[in-house]
Amino acid sequence: MEGKDPFAIAQMLYSRMLDELLTKTEDVGRNFPNEARNIFYKRADDRAIRGQATQEEHDELVDEGIPVARFPIPPKSGLN
């Protein structure tokens, strides 16, 4: 990638990451905090999930030691 525009490289890498995230995770929507706990405490099958959580819910998950990450996902209509 030497000699390429750094912004173009970043955009390409972000696009690849987003594609992986959207195709290899299950969208559990607003049930994310509960489902993350269920997976962490072995009350549900281990799998990669994504969904929505408030800042407070996110902080509670982190405080419990549940590994979570925040990624902005653009709306489907905004994807090129």
Side-chain angles (χ1 to χ4, degrees), residues 26-39 44 47 49-54 57 61:
E26 177 186 343
D27 186 0
V28 296
R30 298 223 175 262
N31 196 37
F32 180 82
N34 291 332
E35 201 58 31
R37 283 186 180 93
N38 287 336
I39 293 168
R47 65 197 190 284
I49 60 170
R50 68 180 189 284
Q52 293 87 44
T54 65
E57 291 168 330
L61 292 169

Side-chain angles (χ1 to χ4, degrees), residues 20-67:
E20 289 285 310
L21 185 68
L22 293 175
T23 59
K24 295 187 177 176
T25 59
E26 177 186 343
D27 186 0
V28 296
R30 298 223 175 262
N31 196 37
F32 180 82
N34 291 332
E35 201 58 31
R37 283 186 180 93
N38 287 336
I39 293 168
F40 185 75
Y41 293 114
K42 310 283 189 228
R43 297 185 299 244
D45 292 336
D46 190 21
R47 65 197 190 284
I49 60 170
R50 68 180 189 284
Q52 293 87 44
T54 65
Q55 183 64 50
E56 182 179 343
E57 291 168 330
H58 175 268
D59 293 345
E60 289 170 357
L61 292 169
V62 170
D63 289 345
E64 286 181 53
I66 299 172

